[in-house]
Every structure is written in structure tokens, then in C-alpha cells.
Amino acid sequence: MALGGFGLGGLADDLLDGLDRLREGAASAFDPTLRLGVTGLSGAGKTVFITSLVASLLDRNRMRLLGAEAEGRIEAAMLRPQPDPDVPRFAIENHLSALAATPPRWPESTRSVSQIRVAIRFRPGSWLSGLAGPATLNLDIVDYPGEWLLDLPLIEQEYDDWAAGALAAAQSPARRAHAAGWHKALAAAEPSAPHDEAVAEALAGAYRDYLFACRQAGLSALAPGRFLMPGDLAGSPALTFAPLPRPERGARGSLYAEMHDRFDAYRRVVAKPFFRNHFARLDRQVVLIDALGAVAGGPRALADLTATMSETLAAFRHGRPGWLDRVTGARRIDRILFVASKADHLHHAQHGRLARLVEAMLAEAARRAAFRGAKTRGMAIAAIRATAEQDVTEKGKRVGLVRGTRASDGHEVAIYPGALPEDPASLLAAAGGAMPGEAPASWPDMSYATFQFAPPRWPHGEGPPHLRLDQAVEFLIGDRLE
Amino acid sequence: MTGERRDPLIIDLSETPLPPAPTPAEAPPPPDGAPAAAERALRGVGRPGLSAMGRLFWISALGLVGIWVATGIEGFLRELFTRSDWLGWGATALAAVLAVTLAGFIIRELAALARVQRVGEIRRRATLAASGAEKADDVLDALARLYRGRPAMDEPLARVDAARPDTPDAAALLAVAERTLLAPLDQRAERAVARAARKVAAITAVVPMPAADVLAVLVVNLAMIREVAEIYGGRAGALGSWRLLRTVAAHLVATGAVAATDDLLGPMVGGGVLGKLSRRFGEAAVNAALTARVGVAAVEVCRPLPFAARPAPRAAGLVLDALRGWRETPESSAGETPTAPRRKG
């Protein structure tokens, strides 16, 4: 074949020059991205999960069950500028330095939305595409206060329904005691009277106090979320409302009508934008649940958490993306991982039961998602493992302890938090009632302890110790690293 | 319930000491079953060959076809004998020549295959010899047998022999052999790879039909593997080439296609940026890089000694050399024409 030299040399030079120029800027624009939604109420461990996930992707020495890492195909990972310039960056450095401080501290609870992007460079798994060279996957993760998640069910609710539900829940045995102050303020207010800002603020304040009291008692259904964690909206009219019983005639300008308007404003300016900006375009979702904490909190806490999570998850777009979604660029969540966080508080012999408990709690949501074609799985993990296991023999019985440092005083402590039942149904049945609030105050024949462990120490340059974080990551993004 | 403790228990170790235990950072992970991905990684290392059933199938199929061909020829010869004895004898003679040449082919292929295997065996023993588990002298003898027939190798072989008595250290002796015997071969092999990469780039940039360039790339690559094998170990033959291709493919998979950290071109074109700007040049660069990687893998598979004293060739360097060679005269390959690849694939 006679291939003449018609400008090929010049073309080759242009080619190399062009490659050099384009490499930095344009290459990242075409890299595929994957948005991972980390979902969980406050205290479920979102921030720790994200911190550990990012740190473990950067230093992958403990990620041996992440398939691409086990096959040695991940070359490097680094933090990249996030896509949304108007959202603060997730303060991974601060969180890691808190964990590395003396004494080590857990990252502070989240007060506003933040975002981070990890770029993973890997060699594709099939050798045919492997020949084309390494590929890059951008993993976008959003952190936000867990309280705000409670707003998602409000998006579809009307004020009348929400107020009626909130008023009824406050009458339940689980909540009546906490609602005393608010009920007093409610009795003093007249819904059909003309709007008075002082009355509105008193009602909203009393309702907020009631929600805080409920949270102290370990309950989860605490909408609206901004009452607990207002962000930059503290004191604004959109946050100054409370549920009121529907009057006979809700005249224009009455207190009830004003509350109605403000609830709508809250949905419009708070709940909907939050959902649209951060949850409507997810590819994968991990649902974190502090199931052990809820079990220790008693049947009421467990029932409340189950109901709240089920309601919240209904807001997401689950299912396999159809051709129409692909054409329009819409995204759907096609994999959901239900995670019992803080599994390090339990000996691994009980981890299977913990995972089954979470699966049973979210069975409704999982069925819904599976029906639309999404893959779901339950898993007990500890994003950062604060304990090691130790077996002791006590009166001839073997007890599997977990051993770590107590957060409060730095003492070394070994605990056994109690035996979870083999069949989670027995727990859920004991917790179940007509309404979450109707559940009994304590377990009939079991008791559980919770505990605050201090973070572990681990050598610099290594990923944090964890339990099954690598398996969780494999389920969530493993197929995109093939 | 199986005698399991039910109520919680909290032990403060400052009051009730327990035996020492590992810290969370040192503690072993929970004994879960390894999930599918890790299993896949282990399995990917050992490529599954033919199963017993598959082997039985091929043997019986080949046997049947053989009998069919043999009886067919026999019947045909009989028929010719019934017509005329002359015709019968003539055809029989032709059939005998056919059988002899066929046997010759088979013997040649088997010999070539054995040569390919011998090179692999030398490499395996050289690796052992470097760590002292095998005598370096035996490896050198095997190398000498491999290269004895080549006139160009007589002088280097004599130099290696001269160095033997005063080089007691096995690794040093192997290094001498590698530098003296293989350095010229390495240069030839690298030049062959760069030439193939350039050829592939030119073909992809010029040939407009997508299916045709795929075929051309495949042909050039196969020819390159054969050439590399010939440079290092003599003629590979068809069977040997096929076997080499499989080994090179397996090698590419095992090393993840490239030692990609040193590879510049992969990320530059891998994202398809250039491909989006100009499809043909993007593909030309990708194909050239691909060919260079296949070539490097072929060199690693065909070289009778592992790269120890001399640096292993890098795919990126070869590609850049190849593409630059379009215009400039590369110093390393003085015999090349500066403009375009001249040889057909």
C-alpha cells in the first residue's frame, strides 16, 4: 500500500499539539459522572459515611472487596472541583483533621448543604475496552442536614392534611407528654381570628420546642425539617407557621389562612428547591439508618423511624432509566443500598440480623423500588470502625464483645449491646401499632444499650478502618468501574 | 434461643481488665464470603481452557472429518482405477505427495510451536536463575542453542562465552547476556513495533471505511507479533502465531492492557476528546497507541530473558516515536524512509 506523505507529518504534529492542549480542560468535561445520594436522618452517620468513602477512595488500602481495586484496575483517585459552583464544598479536610485530632473527634453535625466530587481513574475491566486506555468516573456526593430530608414528604401534602396529621400524632401516647407546652399555646390561639404575628410566632416557637422534645426522646417524624435546622432561613415568615385545626370558616386574613399560605411558601421556597437541586438527579442512593440506635431507643423510636423513612423514600425517582429518560437526560436511581450504619457497635455474629432488620424496616420501599426495576440490597456497615471484637467467656457462655474507647472520658470499654432477634419481624411486630405513636414505651422482654465510642486512630496515608464499606461501594458504583 | 446472652453488658476496662486486643485499625475484617467481583479477579488470572467435554467434542469431530476425508479419497482413487490404471496410479502418486507435504507442514508447525514454547521455558528458567534457584550457565547454553544458526549472532555469542569464566554471579552473567545478545534484537523489535504503530495510524487516518481499517489493524498487529517473535526466537508458524496472539491477549488482560501509569497517550485520547473533534485522527491515535501496547506485550512475551538490565520499552514512547517519524528522520532507525511507511502489512 503506497501511503503518500501528503501532509501526514503536519497532521501528526497538530494531533500531538491538540492532544496536549485539550488534555487538561476538555477531557474532564466528557467524563461520565455518577451522582450518589446519601440519604439518612440526622444522626444516621451521613457525614462520617461521606468522609470515610472519600478518604477510602483516595487511599484504597482497605478496599480489598471493591472489585476494580481487587483487580488492580484503579490507578488513582483525586478530588476535583465540584460541578455546582454555588454550593459549598464538603469540608473533607476539616472532618479528617477532626478525626486525627488528639483526642480524636467525630465530624461536627452538618448545618447546610455541601458537595464534593471524587474523580476515579481506572482501567476498564474487559480487555477490549481496556485497550483504549484508562477511563475516568466522577463521583458526586452531596451532604446536607438530615433534618431537611423530612421535608420531602411535605412536597406532596396540603396544609389541611399535614396539620390534621400532626395534631393527631401529638395526641398519641408517645408524644402527648412532649406536646404539653404547644397544646397550651394552641388552646390560647383562635384559628379564625385575624392574623397576628405575635400569636403566629408563639405558636411556631411552641411547635418547634415540641419537635425538639420529640427528637430528644429519639423520635424521627419531626417535619418540617427547617424548624430543627433552619440554615439561613431562621426567623423568616416561611418558617413561622404551625399546624392548626381547620376552623368552620377560614376567612381571608385569618390566622389559619396565613398559616396555610406560609406552609405553601415553605413547600415552594424550601422543600421543592432542595429536592430539585439535590435529589431529583441521582443515579445511586444509599439509605443510612441508625437501626441499632432506634432499637435501643425503644419500640416507639423504631416504629417512628420505620414510618418516616418509608414515607421519605417514596419521594425519590427509583427504577431503571427508560429510553425516554435517556433521550431527555433525566436520571433515575437504579440501585439502592439500605445500610444499617454503626455496625461496629455489634459483634459480627449479629451483623446479619442487623442487616435483616433494616431490610424488614424498609421492605415496603424496597418492594416499590424493585417493582420499578431498581436493584436493592441491605447491609450492615460501619463507615469508620471504632471498635475491635473480642470474645469472652462469662459463666460458661461465650459473649462477643466490641471494644473501643468511650467518647466521654477516653476509657477503654468493651460492650455487648444486647441480642437482636434472629427474625426482625418480632421486633417490628412489637413496635408496630395502628400509628407509630401507639407503640409501647419499651420492649417486652429485651433491652438494648447504645454507646458513644470515640473515633479510632489509624496510620497516616491509609484509608480509615471500616466494616464492609468496600462491599457497599462495590454495590453502589462497582458496575460503573467495569 | 441458644444460650445467648440477652441483656446488654458494659465493661469498663479500667476496672475489669480484659486480655489485650487489636485496635480497630488492625482488627481483621469480618469473615464474609468474598463477593462476586473479588472472585472474578481471582478467576481472571487463570484463563479457563477447554473443558473435558469440549475437548472430547473437538477430538471426535476432527476424527470423523478425518475418516470422511480419507475414505472419500480412497473411494475416489478406486473409481479412477476402474477407469484406467494410468489414471489411478497418477492420482495415487499425487495423493502420496499431498500426504507427505501435509506431514511436512504439521512437523514444521509443531517445531515452530516447540520453539515458541522453548523461548517461554528459557525465560522461566532465567527468572529462576536470577534468584539463584537455577544455574545461569544452563540458561546461557539454551540461549546459545536458540541463536546458533544466525550469522549475526556469532560474534555476540562468542563475547558472552568469553565473559563466562570471570563472571561468577548469576544475575551479572544474565545481565551480560541480555546486553550483548538481546540489545540489538530489542532495537529491531522496537523498530518493528513503532513501524507497525505508524502503519496502523496512517491506515486509520487515510482509509475511509470503518470495517476496512479494523481488518487492516488486525492484520498489521498479527504481522507485528510474528515479526517480533521471529526477531527473538525464530519462525513462529501459524499455530505458534495463534498461540502467541492468545498469550499476548492474556498478558494484556493480566497487566490491565498497559503499565498505564507511564502512558501519556491513553488518557489524552482515551476520553475520546480528540475523537469528538476529529474522528479520524482520534481513531488514528487510539489505534497507534493500541498497536504499540500490543507490541510491547508481544516483546515481553517473546523475549527469552525478562527485562532486567535493559529498560523495558514503553508504549507511549513508541507511539510518539512512530508518529514523529512521519516527518523527521529518527536517529534510532537510520534505515527508515522519512516520509511514510513503505512496507505493506
Side-chain angles (χ1 to χ4, degrees):
Chain A
M1 195 180 308
L3 295 168
F6 45 89
L8 277 183
L11 287 179
D13 274 4
D14 289 355
L15 186 83
L16 291 169
D17 288 354
L19 284 169
D20 258 343
R21 248 179 287 118
L22 284 165
R23 185 161 62 109
E24 283 305 317
S28 57
F30 293 110
D31 288 337
T33 60
L34 189 145
R35 290 175 67 98
L36 174 65
V38 181
T39 321
L41 300 180
S42 84
K46 287 185 301 301
T47 305
V48 172
F49 180 85
I50 298 171
T51 305
S52 178
L53 173 63
V54 173
S56 299
L57 286 175
L58 297 180
D59 292 309
R60 295 172 301 279
N61 62 308
R62 290 183 208 272
M63 302 296 277
R64 65 185 179 91
L65 292 185
L66 173 59
E69 175 62 20
E71 292 164 21
R73 289 192 286 104
I74 300 187
E75 287 176 359
M78 67 176 282
L79 300 178
R80 260 197 190 163
Q82 67 212 38
D84 301 338
D86 52 339
V87 178
R89 182 170 172 277
F90 180 74
I92 177 87
E93 291 85 4
N94 295 358
H95 297 325
L96 283 175
S97 60
L99 287 166
T102 318
R105 300 185 309 271
W106 293 108
E108 281 179 23
S109 70
T110 311
R111 310 190 72 83
S112 69
V113 177
S114 60
Q115 194 179 45
I116 197 162
R117 163 174 282 189
V118 188
I120 306 170
R121 229 168 77 103
F122 64 100
R123 294 192 299 271
S126 83
W127 78 277
L128 210 62
S129 51
L131 291 173
T136 304
L137 177 70
N138 288 326
L139 181 65
D140 289 348
I141 314 168
V142 174
D143 190 25
Y144 55 89
E147 289 90 349
W148 295 4
L149 198 62
L150 299 166
D151 290 340
L152 299 190
L154 296 189
I155 294 173
E156 298 295 320
Q157 274 180 358
E158 287 299 323
Y159 178 69
D160 299 358
D161 305 330
W162 173 71
L167 289 167
Q171 294 296 340
S172 68
R175 293 176 175 240
R176 203 180 300 134
H178 309 304
W182 172 48
H183 281 153
K184 210 190 282 171
L186 199 58
E190 173 54 50
S192 57
H195 167 66
D196 179 357
E197 190 60 30
V199 178
E201 274 178 22
L203 274 172
Y207 186 63
R208 181 168 23 243
D209 294 342
Y210 154 72
L211 291 181
F212 272 113
C214 287
R215 180 159 80 169
Q216 283 294 311
L219 299 179
S220 307
L222 306 168
R226 296 275 173 148
F227 277 47
L228 299 167
M229 185 63 78
D232 51 1
L233 288 174
S236 68
L239 255 62
T240 313
F241 66 92
L244 282 179
R246 190 187 174 85
E248 296 289 311
R249 294 178 48 249
R252 194 177 282 270
S254 70
L255 185 61
Y256 181 84
E258 185 65 22
M259 292 290 184
H260 191 290
D261 289 351
R262 288 183 178 186
F263 179 81
D264 284 349
Y266 184 86
R267 288 198 311 167
R268 198 174 59 245
V269 302
V270 177
K272 271 185 191 161
F274 178 59
F275 178 76
R276 193 176 56 231
N277 293 339
H278 301 298
F279 293 117
R281 293 178 297 135
L282 295 178
D283 299 304
R284 302 285 152 88
Q285 185 175 29
V286 52
V287 182
L288 296 169
I289 292 181
D290 183 10
L292 215 53
V295 168
R300 285 173 178 172
L302 187 67
D304 220 39
L305 179 62
T306 307
T308 308
M309 286 313 296
S310 182
E311 211 177 317
T312 306
L313 288 173
F316 289 92
R317 291 160 58 87
H318 293 141
R320 231 191 336 256
W323 66 269
L324 192 62
D325 297 313
R326 287 206 194 88
V327 170
T328 57
R331 296 184 161 184
R332 280 175 186 281
I333 299 168
D334 55 358
R335 283 192 185 199
I336 315 163
L337 181 66
F338 300 114
V339 157
S341 57
K342 306 181 188 176
D344 56 339
H345 290 209
L346 207 59
H347 192 270
H348 78 258
Q350 293 203 55
H351 285 174
R353 303 179 196 176
L354 187 60
R356 282 200 294 281
L357 172 64
V358 166
E359 279 178 336
M361 284 170 71
L362 301 178
E364 181 62 38
R367 270 197 288 274
R368 216 161 35 212
F371 184 76
R372 296 187 201 153
K375 269 174 97 170
T376 67
R377 209 174 140 189
M379 210 181 265
I381 79 165
I384 293 186
R385 177 185 193 179
T387 68
E389 295 180 348
Q390 187 165 26
D391 288 347
V392 297
T393 312
E394 192 201 36
K395 296 176 202 135
K397 278 186 196 172
R398 255 185 42 161
V399 185
L401 300 174
V402 290
R403 176 171 160 166
T405 310
R406 181 152 53 200
S408 53
D409 55 7
H411 281 202
E412 227 193 324
V413 171
I415 72 158
Y416 174 78
L420 287 177
E422 275 293 337
D423 183 4
S426 66
L427 275 182
L428 293 177
M435 286 268 297
E438 311 284 337
S442 60
W443 300 112
D445 58 345
M446 305 168 246
S447 64
Y448 300 94
T450 50
F451 208 78
Q452 287 290 321
F453 285 108
R457 293 204 160 282
W458 68 89
H460 185 74
E462 289 186 4
H466 61 80
L467 288 173
R468 301 192 189 86
L469 181 68
D470 45 3
Q471 293 183 50
V473 176
E474 168 69 23
F475 177 78
L476 288 170
I477 65 170
D479 61 322
R480 296 289 293 267
L481 296 178
E482 285 303 310
Chain B
M1 285 271 140
T2 57
E4 193 176 34
R5 185 189 169 98
R6 297 187 65 83
D7 1 310
L9 169 74
I10 297 181
I11 305 172
D12 192 331
L13 299 187
S14 57
E15 291 150 19
T16 322
L18 283 176
T23 66
E26 298 160 352
D32 295 344
E39 279 174 25
R40 255 198 341 262
L42 293 177
R43 229 181 309 134
V45 175
R47 276 158 57 92
L50 277 178
S51 67
M53 200 133 100
R55 200 166 299 178
L56 207 64
F57 168 80
W58 283 114
I59 287 174
S60 50
L62 265 177
L64 265 185
V65 171
I67 293 170
W68 178 60
V69 170
T71 50
I73 289 176
E74 201 233 339
F76 176 60
L77 290 181
R78 268 182 210 287
E79 198 188 299
L80 290 182
F81 270 113
T82 55
R83 282 204 212 161
S84 134
D85 270 1
W86 284 111
L87 210 55
W89 283 116
T92 310
L94 285 179
V97 171
L98 182 75
V100 169
T101 45
L102 190 67
F105 270 128
I106 288 173
I107 288 168
R108 231 172 59 184
E109 284 299 320
L110 287 181
L113 199 63
R115 206 158 32 223
V116 168
Q117 278 168 343
R118 203 163 76 211
V119 170
E121 174 66 15
I122 295 176
R123 191 173 48 245
R124 195 187 63 78
R125 279 166 56 191
T127 318
L128 290 176
S131 60
E134 185 107 12
K135 277 172 78 179
D137 270 333
D138 296 350
V139 179
L140 291 193
D141 287 342
L143 266 180
R145 271 199 300 280
L146 191 65
Y147 292 135
R148 193 166 291 144
R150 305 190 188 184
M153 298 298 271
D154 288 346
E155 197 258 316
L157 277 172
R159 266 192 288 153
V160 171
D161 273 338
R164 273 205 218 193
D166 45 341
T167 319
D169 181 22
L173 196 54
L174 287 177
V176 168
E178 194 182 338
R179 285 184 204 281
T180 350
L181 290 176
L182 296 185
L185 301 186
D186 285 347
Q187 274 173 16
R188 278 176 59 197
E190 274 170 42
R191 228 173 298 153
V193 173
R195 204 163 47 227
R198 194 184 320 161
K199 209 181 291 178
V200 162
I203 290 173
T204 339
V206 173
V207 173
M209 286 175 299
D213 65 5
V214 169
L215 202 69
V217 166
L218 206 71
V219 167
V220 172
N221 270 290
L222 251 171
M224 175 188 65
I225 291 178
R226 266 181 97 136
E227 194 180 344
V228 168
E230 263 168 48
I231 288 171
Y232 281 119
R235 249 181 48 81
L239 268 178
S241 296
W242 170 244
R243 202 189 148 84
L244 272 177
L245 185 67
R246 268 187 56 168
T247 321
V248 167
H251 186 77
L252 281 170
V253 175
T255 54
V258 259
T261 36
D262 71 343
D263 202 312
L264 249 106
L265 206 72
M268 286 200 283
V269 293
V273 180
L274 205 80
K276 285 190 171 69
L277 295 179
S278 162
R279 213 184 106 258
R280 273 195 312 170
F281 298 130
E283 277 175 15
V286 168
N287 286 339
L290 183 150
T291 308
R293 284 170 190 170
V294 172
V296 169
V299 166
E300 278 167 8
V301 164
C302 298
R303 203 171 184 262
L305 293 179
F307 283 100
R310 286 178 49 78
R314 286 172 49 213
L318 288 174
V319 177
L320 293 180
D321 279 357
L323 295 185
R324 289 221 177 89
W326 257 331
R327 201 167 61 175
E328 302 153 18
T329 311
E331 303 85 56
S332 55
S333 55
E336 297 289 297
T337 49
T339 46
R342 64 219 150 116
R343 285 212 293 164
K344 204 178 158 177

